[in-house]
Amino acid sequence: MQKHFTINMEIKFQKTYLEDLYQGNTKPYKEYKSNRQLVAQYIKTINKLKSITHKEQLFQLKALRYEKLTGNLKGLSSVAVNMQYRIIFKEVASTSNELIIDILEIEELSKHYE
């Protein structure tokens, strides 16, 4: 019988600006430079994702409003940053011997319904 262990989610940022915002570097991005509250909420949301040890916790943390997307975004998922913005990401599951790692590739920070 093989044992499986879980660890915190690994986050990969697909776009440079997403990692920059997570590190608090808003200078090059006019849209986010003046919106410190959004950036703080974004960082908080990424930290919540990092703290997850099982994929099922995405459903349990109601504030994230986790959902699988449909239509032209089929294959992607999202969580809410606030009522207006969401993080769109791709879920990648990988296994290595006795280790299961869920990798969240953060695709974009978008205004909902745009």
Side-chain angles (χ1 to χ4, degrees):
M1 185 166 93
Q2 217 178 21
K3 290 184 179 180
H4 292 280
F5 302 96
T6 57
I7 62 168
N8 289 350
M9 294 284 185
E10 180 182 341
I11 305 288
K12 292 183 178 181
F13 297 93
Q14 292 299 310
K15 297 179 181 170
T16 304
Y17 86 97
L18 295 169
E19 189 166 10
D20 286 347
L21 291 178
Y22 179 67
Q23 294 172 353
N25 180 16
T26 59
K27 286 183 182 180
Y29 312 103
K30 282 170 69 174
E31 180 180 354
Y32 303 107
K33 187 177 179 180
S34 62
N35 198 340
R36 291 182 184 175
Q37 184 178 5
L38 172 62
V39 173
Q41 289 171 314
Y42 170 73
I43 293 168
K44 184 177 177 180
T45 304
I46 295 293
N47 286 337
K48 282 182 188 177
L49 291 175
K50 283 185 165 193
S51 71
I52 290 172
T53 58
H54 296 60
K55 185 177 170 182
E56 293 75 25
Q57 289 176 308
L58 289 168
F59 295 101
Q60 295 168 350
L61 294 170
K62 299 292 184 198
L64 290 177
R65 297 193 314 273
Y66 168 75
E67 66 177 328
K68 295 263 189 193
L69 301 176
T70 58
N72 63 345
L73 296 176
K74 187 175 180 165
L76 299 175
S77 302
S78 74
V79 293
V81 173
N82 59 25
M83 294 302 286
Q84 191 176 16
Y85 285 86
R86 65 185 177 174
I87 297 170
I88 297 175
F89 60 93
K90 180 173 28 175
E91 299 172 43
V92 181
S94 64
T95 58
S96 172
N97 293 333
E98 296 183 357
L99 187 63
I100 296 176
I101 303 170
D102 287 318
I103 300 170
L104 300 179
E105 295 184 7
I106 307 299
E107 299 284 334
E108 67 180 284
L109 176 65
S110 72
K111 281 191 174 182
H112 201 58
Y113 304 117
E114 274 193 10

